[in-house]
Amino acid sequence: MTLPAVDGRPLSLMRRLASIAVAAALLSAAPAAVAAQACTWQAAWSSSQLAPAADAQLEPGGWRDATLRQIVRPSLAARRVRVRFSNAFGRAPLTIDAATMALAAAPMGGVVRAATVRPLRFAGGIAVTVPAGAEWVSDAVDLPLRAFDDLAVSLHLPAEPDGQTAHPGSRATSYIAAGDQTGVAELSGARAVDRWYFLSGVDVERCAAPGGVVALGDSITDGYGVIPNSYARWTDVLARRLGGRVAVLNAGIGGNRVLLDGLGPSALARLDRDVLGQAGVRHLILFEGVNDIGVLTRDAPATRDQHRALVEGVIAAFAQIVARAHAHGIMVHAATILPFAGSAYYHPGAESEADREAINAWLRAPGHVDGVIDLDRLLRDPARPTYLARRYDSGDGLHPNAAGYRLIGESIPLARLRR
C-alpha cells in the first residue's frame, strides 16, 4: 500500500528525516557531556618569578655550559606531565639545548631514579629558545607521578643568559654542574644552591574536574624561616590536608607588596602570570598587605594623607583583584593581615595599626570577598592584640614560627576549596 504524502513527500521519508533530526539533537547535546569528562591540563606546582637581587644571582660565567637540576613537589598525581620554563626577566632570548625530567631519589642530593629519566621535547625538538619576557611550555611526557612525589627537572644552558629569572625563596635545594649532565642519574661535581631559576611551573593532565588553589602572598606565604626541603610552609600543610585532590600553588614572594614593586613585581603586576594564567585554578587565597603598611613608615614618618591614601589604594587594589579573579571564574578567599607591632624592622606605630585595622575591616565586611580567613584573630596575642601570640612568633614580631605556619595551614576550611 502506498503511504500518504505530506507536502508532496512520502511519510516514510518524513519519518527518516525526523529520526535524523533527533539524532542530530542528541549529538549537539553530547559535547557538554563529553567536556565534563574530558582530560585537561592542570597546574600542579608553580613558583613566582622575579629578577633576583645581586646576592641571589649566580655569578657571571656560572651558567655557561652548565646543567641545573631543580627538585619540586607537585601536589597532584598524573601519568602525563609538562613543565614551564620562564624568561620573564631576561633581556635577550634564553636558549635551553637539553632538558629532562625524572623522579628524584630523595628531596635532597640531586640524584634521580635512572629508569624514570625522560627527555623533554619542544614541538618535537630537543632545544628551545624562549623569547625575552616569555614562558615556554614543553611537550607532554609520559611519567607516572604520585601526588607529592619529588620531581627533578634538569636543563642545560650552552651560554650565559642575559638577565636571570628566578625565585630566590625556594626553600628547596637545586644543583648546578658543569657540562650537559641532564640525562645522568647522579651529577658529577655539583654544587648546591637554595634557589629556583627559569622554572615556573609543572602541569599535569587530569581527567577529573579541575580545581586548583593559588596562594598569592608575601614572605609569610613564601615560607620565611622554614628549613629548606622540610616542606613546612602553610601551603604545604594545606596541600597535604587536601590529599592530592586539589592542587595548591604557592605564589608567595618575600617582601611583596600589593601596590608597588619591591622584591619582585607587585601583587597587581603579577596577577595575570601567577594566578589567572595558571591552568585549572578555581580558588585564590589572597594574603598580602603587611609590607605596604610597613614600608610606608619604615624609614620616616608618614602624613595623615599618606596613611589615608595607602589604605584606600590597598582596598581598591583588593577590589580589582576580586573583580579580575571573578571574571575568570575564580573565587577569592582573603586572609586578614597579621599583627606586627613587635617588628623591629617596621617598628609600626598607632597610625600603622589603624591602617591594618581599616584594611582588615574591609576584608571582613560582607560582600567584598567570597570568604574570609581571619588569621589576625587566630594568631594574635589575646592580651596584646596588636602583637603576634608568643607561641606563634618566630621572634621577629612579623613572621610566624613553624607552629604558626602549621596552624594557618590547618585552619583553612577545605569544603569550599574542593568545589
Side-chain angles (χ1 to χ4, degrees):
M1 181 177 67
T2 303
L3 294 171
V6 178
D7 293 334
R9 288 173 289 183
L11 186 57
S12 58
L13 176 59
M14 294 296 293
R15 287 173 175 162
R16 287 198 298 272
L17 291 173
S19 298
I20 292 170
V22 170
L26 291 172
L27 287 172
S28 66
V34 171
Q37 303 297 322
C39 297
T40 59
W41 287 103
Q42 166 78 59
W45 175 89
S46 70
S47 72
S48 297
Q49 304 300 297
L50 54 90
D55 60 355
Q57 295 182 23
L58 203 63
E59 70 280 1
W63 291 114
R64 190 177 301 112
D65 186 23
T67 293
L68 172 64
R69 177 165 289 172
Q70 305 177 87
I71 300 174
V72 302
R73 186 171 286 184
S75 51
L76 292 177
R79 297 193 65 83
R80 282 165 56 81
V81 188
R82 67 186 189 184
V83 302
R84 287 181 283 123
F85 292 116
S86 178
N87 192 26
F89 296 91
R91 294 181 292 269
L94 170 72
T95 296
I96 300 170
D97 65 359
T100 63
M101 73 166 62
L103 296 179
M108 298 177 63
V111 179
V112 303
R113 303 176 193 173
T116 69
V117 175
R118 305 287 191 273
L120 290 176
R121 295 287 185 264
F122 308 90
I126 63 171
V128 63
T129 298
V130 185
E135 286 194 335
W136 204 282
V137 181
S138 75
D139 299 348
V141 171
D142 291 325
L143 179 66
L145 183 71
R146 298 172 303 178
F148 311 113
D149 271 348
D150 292 310
L151 181 69
V153 178
S154 304
L155 59 93
H156 179 255
L157 300 184
E160 190 81 11
D162 186 0
Q164 298 179 26
T165 296
H167 186 86
S170 64
R171 275 84 204 183
T173 305
S174 302
Y175 303 89
I176 301 173
D180 182 358
Q181 300 189 48
T182 54
V184 304
E186 185 171 359
L187 299 173
S188 175
R191 60 188 174 111
V193 292
D194 286 341
R195 304 180 194 106
W196 288 314
Y197 295 96
F198 307 115
L199 180 63
S200 59
V202 175
D203 299 340
V204 300
E205 191 175 53
R206 296 261 289 176
C207 299
V213 181
V214 177
L216 183 66
D218 49 39
S219 56
I220 298 173
T221 297
D222 204 22
Y224 178 88
V226 166
I227 297 171
N229 308 297
S230 67
Y231 292 94
R233 294 164 293 195
W234 69 260
T235 53
D236 299 314
V237 175
L238 177 61
R240 287 193 293 271
R241 289 179 64 216
L242 287 165
R245 294 181 294 276
V246 176
V248 177
L249 311 176
N250 189 312
I253 291 179
N256 199 231
R257 286 184 280 176
V258 177
L259 296 171
L260 298 173
D261 293 351
L263 294 176
S266 71
L268 278 177
R270 63 193 183 94
L271 182 67
D272 287 279
R273 179 172 60 242
D274 290 349
V275 180
L276 307 183
Q278 299 292 338
V281 168
R282 293 293 180 269
H283 299 273
L284 165 62
I285 297 177
L286 176 61
F287 189 11
E288 289 260 15
V290 68
N291 292 315
D292 294 76
I293 299 171
V295 169
L296 180 68
T297 58
R298 181 185 58 193
D299 302 321
T303 66
R304 181 177 300 177
D305 286 345
Q306 288 174 317
H307 279 282
R308 183 175 62 251
L310 174 77
V311 171
E312 292 174 351
V314 170
I315 288 173
F318 282 170
Q320 280 285 303
I321 291 172
V322 172
R324 292 172 62 189
H326 283 175
H328 286 76
I330 298 172
M331 297 180 66
V332 180
H333 314 268
T336 50
I337 302 171
L338 295 179
F340 64 108
S343 168
Y345 180 65
Y346 281 147
H347 46 78
E351 296 85 356
S352 294
E353 175 59 20
D355 295 345
R356 187 182 75 89
E357 291 177 359
I359 295 169
N360 281 349
W362 184 88
L363 291 173
R364 293 185 181 112
H368 291 157
V369 296
D370 299 300
V372 179
I373 305 166
D374 206 335
L375 300 182
D376 169 33
R377 289 175 178 161
L378 185 69
L379 273 74
R380 71 191 180 193
D381 188 332
R384 304 182 305 163
T386 62
Y387 289 77
L388 283 173
R390 287 187 177 91
R391 65 184 179 277
Y392 300 130
D393 188 347
S394 66
D396 66 6
L398 179 64
H399 298 93
N401 58 16
Y405 285 136
R406 184 169 60 253
L407 180 63
I408 293 172
E410 291 174 346
S411 70
I412 297 172
L414 301 185
R416 299 189 79 180
L417 300 181
R418 288 173 173 154
R419 296 179 185 173

